[in-house]
Structures are given as C-alpha cells and as structure tokens.
Amino acid sequence: MSETEQTLSIIKPDAVERNLDEKIKLIFKENGFKIIKEKKIQLEKSEAEQFYKVHETKPFYNDLCNYLSSGPIVVMIIEKIGAVAENRRLMGATDPKKAEEGTIRKQYGISIDKNSVHGSDSIENANTEIKFFFNS
Ligand code: UDP
Ligand code: MG
C-alpha cells in the first residue's frame, strides 16, 4: 500500500512563458494532487547547475542549465498517495513525442529540452529537491 508522499514539480520556462502555469496546476489538482507550497522564481545559472548536478557529465548539461535559468519558473511541493510515481506518470516521457496521450508533456511539451515540467524521480531526490527550493 503506497503512502502519502511529497514530490517536487517545476513548471519550466517554456510553459510559464506561454501562460500555462494555471492550466498545469489545474491538471495536478484534477488528478488528486494537493499543492502544498508554490513560488514563482527565476534561477541564476549557477543555481540551475547545482539543481541539475546529476546531469553534469551529459552533453546537454550546459544548454539545460541555460534554459532552466532563462525565465521564470513555478516551483511546487505537490502531495498525493504515491506522489513521486504518480507525478512521473502524469508528466509523461522526457521526449514529448514519446509521451502518452493525456500526459502534460504530450499536451504541452515542445521538444525534449523544452518539455514544460520537471518532476523528482525518486523519494530520495524529491526530499533533496524540496529542500533545495523550500528549506534553505
Ligand atoms: N534533456 C535534454 N536532452 C536530452 C535529455 C534530457 O535537453 O537528451 C533535458 C530535458 O529538459 C529533461 C532534463 O534534461 O527534462 C533532465 O533529463 P532527465 O533525463 O532527468 O529527464 P526527466 O527526468 O526530466 O524526464
Ligand atoms: Mg530527471
């Protein structure tokens, strides 16, 4: 039996820029998530580099950090039973072209880099990412 969990969601610059933040928040609520905390911020590049440090050896790392820090984002702690996996399912595949119907990335993602949302991929990373934005 899964337990109530919290995970970190980010509405990325491409989605905030297109004024999709309220629509995406509604999708979370309609799918049973509670939004516990939220804030709209813009990251410095150095903060994006720290956030995405797990990807620092990847070829897309520099572009990814430039992108995440390129405009306002909405950062949220969201809560539900099994929230980490449920959020990953609702987001859809990293590449919107491969995302299933009904997922946020299928509906709103532009490309593999501009894919509209971030979600923690494990409970451990959710805790780390929540602290990164809300507990410092
Ligand atoms: N990304 C990219 N090119 C790639 C793979 C990933 O630009 O080939 C970006 C994309 O924005 C993705 C982020 O890097 O959301 C983090 O990658 P990850 O594999 O963790 O995907 P996610 O967990 O976001 O689905
Ligand atoms: Mg990831």
Side-chain angles (χ1 to χ4, degrees):
M1 180 65 183
S2 300
E3 294 177 23
T4 299
E5 296 169 0
Q6 294 189 342
T7 189
L8 186 90
S9 170
I10 303 177
I11 305 175
K12 292 182 175 183
D14 68 275
V16 176
E17 186 179 89
R18 287 176 287 153
N19 292 313
L20 295 171
D21 38 324
E22 290 303 324
K23 284 185 182 140
I24 291 173
K25 278 159 57 181
L26 192 60
I27 293 173
F28 284 121
K29 290 177 196 161
E30 285 170 349
N31 282 273
F33 285 91
K34 259 194 235 169
I35 298 172
I36 304 295
K37 284 188 184 172
E38 63 171 285
K39 59 183 179 183
K40 189 186 265 189
I41 54 171
Q42 181 162 357
L43 296 181
E44 300 291 341
K45 183 167 182 194
S46 60
E47 295 172 316
E49 286 169 345
Q50 203 188 332
F51 178 73
Y52 271 134
K53 200 159 174 53
V54 291
H55 293 305
E56 78 183 323
T57 60
K58 308 271 172 67
F60 56 82
Y61 179 64
N62 189 51
D63 287 344
L64 175 61
C65 296
N66 279 332
Y67 164 64
L68 192 69
S69 58
S70 67
I73 58 175
V74 175
V75 188
M76 299 176 284
I77 300 173
I78 58 174
E79 184 178 280
K80 185 183 177 174
I81 291 172
V84 172
E86 285 289 293
N87 180 38
R88 296 291 303 189
R89 190 190 54 74
L90 187 58
M91 287 163 58
T94 307
D95 183 351
K97 289 201 293 286
K98 297 180 183 157
E100 286 190 35
E101 284 302 331
T103 63
I104 295 171
R105 283 169 165 173
K106 173 74 179 184
Q107 199 172 347
Y108 294 127
I110 296 169
S111 57
I112 192 164
D113 48 329
K114 294 186 171 150
N115 58 9
S116 301
V117 280
H118 166 86
S120 311
D121 62 4
S122 66
I123 293 178
E124 191 191 353
N125 285 338
N127 290 336
T128 306
E129 292 179 359
I130 286 170
K131 279 204 194 88
F132 182 87
F133 284 108
F134 290 101
N135 246 13
S136 45

